Amino acid sequence: MSWDEIKGHDEVVEDFRRAINRNRLASSFLLVGPASIGKRMFALQLAQTLLCGRVDITEMAPCGVCEDCLQVKAQTHPDLLLVQRPKDNTRIPLKTFIGEGKTRMREGLCHDISLRPYRGRRKIAIIDDADDMNQEGANCLLKTLEEPPSDSVIILISESQQRQLPTIRSRCQIIRFAPLPESIVAELLLAQGVTEDPEVARAIAARGKGSLRQAAQLADEGLENFREVLLKTLAKADFNSVQLAKDAWDFVQKAGDDAPLRRQTIGYLIQFALDYYRAELHLLSGSDPAQIESLAAGRHAGGIDGMIACLDRCIEAEMQLDSNANLASLIEGWIDDLATASRTGI
């Protein structure tokens, strides 16, 4: 892997290049941006750059073939500490940071990062699922961030800086990653074999919101079929909210028992609805002002006020999803409110 493979983030790469050449590399970073846009790849490439045994870091061009580079690629380098949420957990366990039982405070990330580097010039920690830290884990990490070892770099990867404690945000240099351009997402979809049709790739990329993973998942036939069902139902002037909520929850449960996957699926459904109401309002904005209300009422009994209320309710549902609301209750309340607003305008 090289920096050329980090697609769509040239400005961020250049910012790090300047910081390294000026010897102003911070000790703690919070990489923020949508899921699956290259933040983790960026973090690993930075680790390879900092740990390469042949090329000076100021050149920002790790050789890729020395033992250090190969171990970083294999994620086995003794000076590279990787933290991820276990697949069977909804949170990163506290023991990941400070150990447990008799070894508490003598193992775990906070202990290991404090040790001198084994081989490289520094130790590097990458917390891939920083949004999934619990309060205790975040507070333990905070102590390390307050007094980071001089020969360490700590990288937290997050989808939203608001999901991190204010005290953690204040002790990290925040690096914002923009969604990938649709052209790059389409290019990657073709390169990874998600589809062989360039037109399909472009269509999927347009709905992927700059995220390769989201675009790839939207290529799933089941999700696309339910999207059509959802939008056809929302387009009705009056629809059965109880039945739609049941159908939506049944579909979400098919994602499996993993809570993050279920949340992700609900997030897609909310985004589909958001896109629908935005498109409807955009369509109306180009109409004759005298016809707007009649056109809106033709689509929704609640008129244009109802569509605006539905749009606001979708945004609220996204916030509830981020706040770990009960998923079944979220879907039921959200869809019921959409039906009411669409019918009555409030």
PDB file of all heavy atoms in Angstrom, residues 120-134:
ATOM      1  N   GLY A 120      10.780   0.106  16.645  1.00  0.00           N
ATOM      2  CA  GLY A 120      10.676   1.365  15.919  1.00  0.00           C
ATOM      3  C   GLY A 120      11.085   2.573  16.744  1.00  0.00           C
ATOM      4  O   GLY A 120      11.560   2.466  17.877  1.00  0.00           O
ATOM      5  N   ARG A 121      10.847   3.753  16.150  1.00  0.00           N
ATOM      6  CA  ARG A 121      11.176   5.002  16.829  1.00  0.00           C
ATOM      7  C   ARG A 121      10.080   5.433  17.784  1.00  0.00           C
ATOM      8  O   ARG A 121      10.270   6.319  18.613  1.00  0.00           O
ATOM      9  CB  ARG A 121      11.418   6.102  15.780  1.00  0.00           C
ATOM     10  CG  ARG A 121      12.696   5.894  14.989  1.00  0.00           C
ATOM     11  CD  ARG A 121      12.729   6.709  13.729  1.00  0.00           C
ATOM     12  NE  ARG A 121      11.836   6.172  12.695  1.00  0.00           N
ATOM     13  CZ  ARG A 121      12.052   6.319  11.398  1.00  0.00           C
ATOM     14  NH1 ARG A 121      13.111   6.967  10.965  1.00  0.00           N
ATOM     15  NH2 ARG A 121      11.208   5.808  10.519  1.00  0.00           N
ATOM     16  N   ARG A 122       8.925   4.823  17.645  1.00  0.00           N
ATOM     17  CA  ARG A 122       7.795   5.178  18.498  1.00  0.00           C
ATOM     18  C   ARG A 122       6.786   4.045  18.515  1.00  0.00           C
ATOM     19  O   ARG A 122       6.849   3.129  17.704  1.00  0.00           O
ATOM     20  CB  ARG A 122       7.124   6.465  17.985  1.00  0.00           C
ATOM     21  CG  ARG A 122       6.795   6.414  16.504  1.00  0.00           C
ATOM     22  CD  ARG A 122       6.042   7.638  16.023  1.00  0.00           C
ATOM     23  NE  ARG A 122       6.750   8.871  16.249  1.00  0.00           N
ATOM     24  CZ  ARG A 122       7.721   9.356  15.465  1.00  0.00           C
ATOM     25  NH1 ARG A 122       8.127   8.636  14.421  1.00  0.00           N
ATOM     26  NH2 ARG A 122       8.280  10.511  15.708  1.00  0.00           N
ATOM     27  N   LYS A 123       5.847   4.129  19.448  1.00  0.00           N
ATOM     28  CA  LYS A 123       4.740   3.177  19.491  1.00  0.00           C
ATOM     29  C   LYS A 123       3.498   3.900  18.955  1.00  0.00           C
ATOM     30  O   LYS A 123       3.303   5.089  19.201  1.00  0.00           O
ATOM     31  CB  LYS A 123       4.487   2.685  20.921  1.00  0.00           C
ATOM     32  CG  LYS A 123       5.637   1.869  21.490  1.00  0.00           C
ATOM     33  CD  LYS A 123       5.306   1.331  22.862  1.00  0.00           C
ATOM     34  CE  LYS A 123       4.431   0.101  22.813  1.00  0.00           C
ATOM     35  NZ  LYS A 123       5.164  -1.094  22.345  1.00  0.00           N
ATOM     36  N   ILE A 124       2.691   3.161  18.236  1.00  0.00           N
ATOM     37  CA  ILE A 124       1.503   3.746  17.610  1.00  0.00           C
ATOM     38  C   ILE A 124       0.283   2.920  17.997  1.00  0.00           C
ATOM     39  O   ILE A 124       0.282   1.685  17.862  1.00  0.00           O
ATOM     40  CB  ILE A 124       1.645   3.769  16.075  1.00  0.00           C
ATOM     41  CG1 ILE A 124       2.858   4.608  15.681  1.00  0.00           C
ATOM     42  CG2 ILE A 124       0.369   4.326  15.423  1.00  0.00           C
ATOM     43  CD1 ILE A 124       3.226   4.500  14.229  1.00  0.00           C
ATOM     44  N   ALA A 125      -0.739   3.595  18.488  1.00  0.00           N
ATOM     45  CA  ALA A 125      -1.999   2.938  18.839  1.00  0.00           C
ATOM     46  C   ALA A 125      -3.100   3.444  17.915  1.00  0.00           C
ATOM     47  O   ALA A 125      -3.230   4.647  17.695  1.00  0.00           O
ATOM     48  CB  ALA A 125      -2.367   3.228  20.295  1.00  0.00           C
ATOM     49  N   ILE A 126      -3.874   2.515  17.370  1.00  0.00           N
ATOM     50  CA  ILE A 126      -5.010   2.859  16.517  1.00  0.00           C
ATOM     51  C   ILE A 126      -6.262   2.268  17.147  1.00  0.00           C
ATOM     52  O   ILE A 126      -6.375   1.045  17.290  1.00  0.00           O
ATOM     53  CB  ILE A 126      -4.831   2.323  15.085  1.00  0.00           C
ATOM     54  CG1 ILE A 126      -3.585   2.926  14.436  1.00  0.00           C
ATOM     55  CG2 ILE A 126      -6.076   2.635  14.243  1.00  0.00           C
ATOM     56  CD1 ILE A 126      -3.279   2.348  13.052  1.00  0.00           C
ATOM     57  N   ILE A 127      -7.184   3.128  17.536  1.00  0.00           N
ATOM     58  CA  ILE A 127      -8.460   2.690  18.107  1.00  0.00           C
ATOM     59  C   ILE A 127      -9.498   2.807  17.006  1.00  0.00           C
ATOM     60  O   ILE A 127      -9.984   3.901  16.696  1.00  0.00           O
ATOM     61  CB  ILE A 127      -8.835   3.531  19.335  1.00  0.00           C
ATOM     62  CG1 ILE A 127      -7.706   3.461  20.377  1.00  0.00           C
ATOM     63  CG2 ILE A 127     -10.150   3.041  19.949  1.00  0.00           C
ATOM     64  CD1 ILE A 127      -7.901   4.372  21.556  1.00  0.00           C
ATOM     65  N   ASP A 128      -9.804   1.677  16.388  1.00  0.00           N
ATOM     66  CA  ASP A 128     -10.605   1.676  15.167  1.00  0.00           C
ATOM     67  C   ASP A 128     -12.076   1.952  15.425  1.00  0.00           C
ATOM     68  O   ASP A 128     -12.776   2.455  14.553  1.00  0.00           O
ATOM     69  CB  ASP A 128     -10.448   0.327  14.458  1.00  0.00           C
ATOM     70  CG  ASP A 128     -11.018   0.344  13.061  1.00  0.00           C
ATOM     71  OD1 ASP A 128     -11.226   1.441  12.515  1.00  0.00           O
ATOM     72  OD2 ASP A 128     -11.276  -0.734  12.501  1.00  0.00           O
ATOM     73  N   ASP A 129     -12.573   1.623  16.569  1.00  0.00           N
ATOM     74  CA  ASP A 129     -14.003   1.804  16.860  1.00  0.00           C
ATOM     75  C   ASP A 129     -14.180   2.729  18.052  1.00  0.00           C
ATOM     76  O   ASP A 129     -14.844   2.383  19.037  1.00  0.00           O
ATOM     77  CB  ASP A 129     -14.660   0.448  17.150  1.00  0.00           C
ATOM     78  CG  ASP A 129     -14.515  -0.513  15.989  1.00  0.00           C
ATOM     79  OD1 ASP A 129     -15.064  -0.226  14.929  1.00  0.00           O
ATOM     80  OD2 ASP A 129     -13.843  -1.553  16.158  1.00  0.00           O
ATOM     81  N   ALA A 130     -13.602   3.916  17.971  1.00  0.00           N
ATOM     82  CA  ALA A 130     -13.626   4.835  19.114  1.00  0.00           C
ATOM     83  C   ALA A 130     -15.048   5.203  19.515  1.00  0.00           C
ATOM     84  O   ALA A 130     -15.302   5.537  20.681  1.00  0.00           O
ATOM     85  CB  ALA A 130     -12.826   6.097  18.796  1.00  0.00           C
ATOM     86  N   ASP A 131     -15.998   5.149  18.574  1.00  0.00           N
ATOM     87  CA  ASP A 131     -17.395   5.457  18.909  1.00  0.00           C
ATOM     88  C   ASP A 131     -17.988   4.412  19.837  1.00  0.00           C
ATOM     89  O   ASP A 131     -19.022   4.658  20.467  1.00  0.00           O
ATOM     90  CB  ASP A 131     -18.248   5.530  17.637  1.00  0.00           C
ATOM     91  CG  ASP A 131     -17.895   6.736  16.785  1.00  0.00           C
ATOM     92  OD1 ASP A 131     -17.317   7.694  17.326  1.00  0.00           O
ATOM     93  OD2 ASP A 131     -18.192   6.718  15.573  1.00  0.00           O
ATOM     94  N   ASP A 132     -17.351   3.247  19.928  1.00  0.00           N
ATOM     95  CA  ASP A 132     -17.890   2.155  20.732  1.00  0.00           C
ATOM     96  C   ASP A 132     -17.198   2.020  22.086  1.00  0.00           C
ATOM     97  O   ASP A 132     -17.333   0.996  22.750  1.00  0.00           O
ATOM     98  CB  ASP A 132     -17.769   0.834  19.962  1.00  0.00           C
ATOM     99  CG  ASP A 132     -18.617   0.831  18.701  1.00  0.00           C
ATOM    100  OD1 ASP A 132     -19.709   1.421  18.731  1.00  0.00           O
ATOM    101  OD2 ASP A 132     -18.188   0.254  17.689  1.00  0.00           O
ATOM    102  N   MET A 133     -16.464   3.041  22.506  1.00  0.00           N
ATOM    103  CA  MET A 133     -15.904   3.027  23.855  1.00  0.00           C
ATOM    104  C   MET A 133     -17.022   3.330  24.853  1.00  0.00           C
ATOM    105  O   MET A 133     -17.884   4.174  24.592  1.00  0.00           O
ATOM    106  CB  MET A 133     -14.802   4.091  24.002  1.00  0.00           C
ATOM    107  CG  MET A 133     -13.555   3.818  23.209  1.00  0.00           C
ATOM    108  SD  MET A 133     -12.210   4.974  23.616  1.00  0.00           S
ATOM    109  CE  MET A 133     -12.900   6.535  23.026  1.00  0.00           C
ATOM    110  N   ASN A 134     -17.003   2.648  25.989  1.00  0.00           N
ATOM    111  CA  ASN A 134     -17.948   3.029  27.030  1.00  0.00           C
ATOM    112  C   ASN A 134     -17.334   4.136  27.894  1.00  0.00           C
ATOM    113  O   ASN A 134     -16.179   4.529  27.703  1.00  0.00           O
ATOM    114  CB  ASN A 134     -18.356   1.815  27.886  1.00  0.00           C
ATOM    115  CG  ASN A 134     -17.166   1.136  28.556  1.00  0.00           C
ATOM    116  OD1 ASN A 134     -16.150   1.769  28.845  1.00  0.00           O
ATOM    117  ND2 ASN A 134     -17.283  -0.163  28.794  1.00  0.00           N
TER     118      ASN A 134
END
